[in-house]
Amino acid sequence: MTLYIGREASKYIHGVAARGVHYLHQPGPTLQDLGFFLLPELGQDKAYISETVFMFVFLSFFLWTFHPFVVKVKKFYTVQIWCRVLAYLVVSQTLRIFTFYSTQLPGPNYHCRPGSKLARLPEPDGVLEVLVINFPQGVIYGCGDLIFSSHMIFTLVFVLTYQKYGTRRCIKQFGWSIAIIQSLLIVASRKHYTVDVVVAWYTVNLVVFFVDKKLPELSGRTNGSSLILLPLSTKDKDKWTKEENHKLLNGNSVNPADRRPRSQSNGKNLEDVNINQVDTSMNSTP
């Protein structure tokens, strides 16, 4: 439930931001673009192709994340996958909001060009009108939220997540192929400039890299270990490393569930007790 609320809140905030930038959109001539020069224009009647590919990617990923409820062999936990996906999306969409508010480009899409009634929104009567998203028309016919592509954010997050947790190499290769095809279709449909797609490619990859560095993997439930949700401090890591090395030298296995600071005995740390024992033995030696 918490995951669902967080996902919907993120979508709503992004939707409000996209609607707000639509009020600022200034329609104008389409900018010079290398992708527009190299790729033939599909036309309005074929704009559905890129949306169909996107829905295929979304539904395929969604069904794959829930397959552990059907197949008994569990290679991952669905909640673990979606928590990580939500973190990727929140960071990426936040960066996207800052980016498209920084610079508004004239939209290349058909409904954003000069002469279209949807190119600009009438001045709102109040704040409430801005906060209420006109779904789905307000989402489909938005203008101004260009850099960088939201469709590519979702597509790359799904492909990168399967790259990490998936097991079939052929599906991984197919996923990257679909991501490339989706990029070309978005540009050919004139929904985004080429720069919007290019920025999405390296930004999402960097976001996934840094989120994985800061958000460690959740421990599995089979070994009885507790879930670690926050990054560890350097002090805790050093304590764990010393304890693991001590166990390995004694021939004992290292259990992730035992990764915790040493407990106290009668108000004294075990390390202090060991030091006192060493001092006593040295004093008793003639």
Side-chain angles (χ1 to χ4, degrees):
M1 179 60 72
T2 304
L3 180 63
Y4 175 79
I5 294 175
R7 185 187 65 181
E8 294 302 316
S10 175
K11 288 169 58 179
Y12 173 74
I13 293 173
H14 179 267
V16 171
R19 180 174 174 81
V21 80
H22 196 168
Y23 288 103
L24 304 176
H25 178 250
Q26 296 290 338
T30 303
L31 301 179
Q32 184 175 350
D33 188 276
L34 179 61
F36 292 178
F37 177 75
L38 296 177
L39 296 174
E41 189 171 348
L42 291 180
Q44 281 184 285
D45 57 332
K46 297 180 180 178
Y48 68 90
I49 298 178
S50 63
E51 296 297 330
T52 303
V53 173
F54 176 76
M55 289 304 301
F56 169 76
V57 173
F58 179 83
L59 292 176
S60 299
F61 181 82
F62 180 83
L63 294 175
W64 170 73
T65 58
F66 282 91
H67 88 269
F69 291 96
V70 180
V71 183
K72 293 183 180 180
V73 179
K74 290 190 176 182
K75 307 238 179 236
F76 58 83
Y77 293 101
T78 301
V79 173
Q80 178 184 4
I81 292 286
W82 281 104
C83 282
R84 194 160 290 270
V85 167
L86 180 61
Y88 299 152
L89 293 177
V90 168
V91 176
S92 299
Q93 297 283 44
T94 301
L95 292 175
R96 181 175 189 263
I97 292 172
F98 283 115
T99 306
F100 66 63
Y101 265 103
S102 300
T103 303
Q104 289 90 42
L105 303 178
N109 211 335
Y110 303 102
H111 63 269
C112 298
R113 297 177 183 179
S116 173
K117 296 180 180 180
L118 301 174
R120 294 204 64 184
L121 293 178
E123 185 176 348
D125 296 331
V127 179
L128 185 61
E129 185 176 344
V130 179
L131 297 179
V132 176
I133 302 175
N134 183 17
F135 185 84
Q137 183 176 357
V139 177
I140 298 175
Y141 296 103
C143 297
D145 55 329
L146 292 174
I147 304 177
F148 41 98
S149 172
S150 181
H151 282 67
M152 288 309 303
I153 289 177
F154 281 85
T155 300
L156 290 172
V157 164
F158 295 158
V159 171
L160 288 168
T161 304
Y162 187 85
Q163 179 73 25
K164 181 175 183 178
Y165 294 99
T167 56
R168 297 185 179 275
R169 184 179 179 182
C170 60
I171 298 180
K172 294 179 181 181
Q173 295 174 344
F174 178 71
W176 287 113
S177 301
I178 289 294
I180 295 174
I181 293 173
Q182 175 76 339
S183 302
L184 299 176
L185 287 174
I186 288 175
V187 177
S189 300
R190 304 302 188 254
K191 295 179 179 179
H192 280 277
Y193 293 107
T194 305
V195 65
D196 307 336
V197 176
V198 172
V199 172
W201 269 90
Y202 65 75
T203 302
V204 174
N205 277 277
L206 289 174
V207 166
V208 170
F209 174 77
F210 283 108
V211 169
D212 285 342
K213 293 280 287 184
K214 294 297 182 180
L215 185 65
E217 286 288 346
L218 301 179
S219 302
R221 284 180 277 181
T222 55
N223 58 9
S225 59
S226 59
L227 297 179
I228 304 172
L229 296 177
L230 299 176
L232 304 171
S233 64
T234 305
K235 184 177 180 181
D236 290 337
K237 289 182 179 179
D238 292 338
K239 287 183 179 180
W240 287 4
T241 303
K242 291 179 182 178
E243 187 173 354
E244 289 174 359
N245 292 335
H246 180 71
K247 287 189 176 184
L248 291 173
L249 290 175
N250 292 336
N252 297 328
S253 61
V254 179
N255 187 356
D258 294 334
R259 291 182 174 180
R260 56 182 179 272
R262 293 177 177 269
S263 59
Q264 294 184 348
S265 176
N266 295 329
K268 297 181 178 180
N269 291 331
L270 294 179
E271 294 178 356
D272 297 337
V273 174
N274 293 334
I275 294 174
N276 293 334
Q277 290 177 354
V278 173
D279 292 340
T280 304
S281 61
M282 292 178 64
N283 293 333
S284 62
T285 304

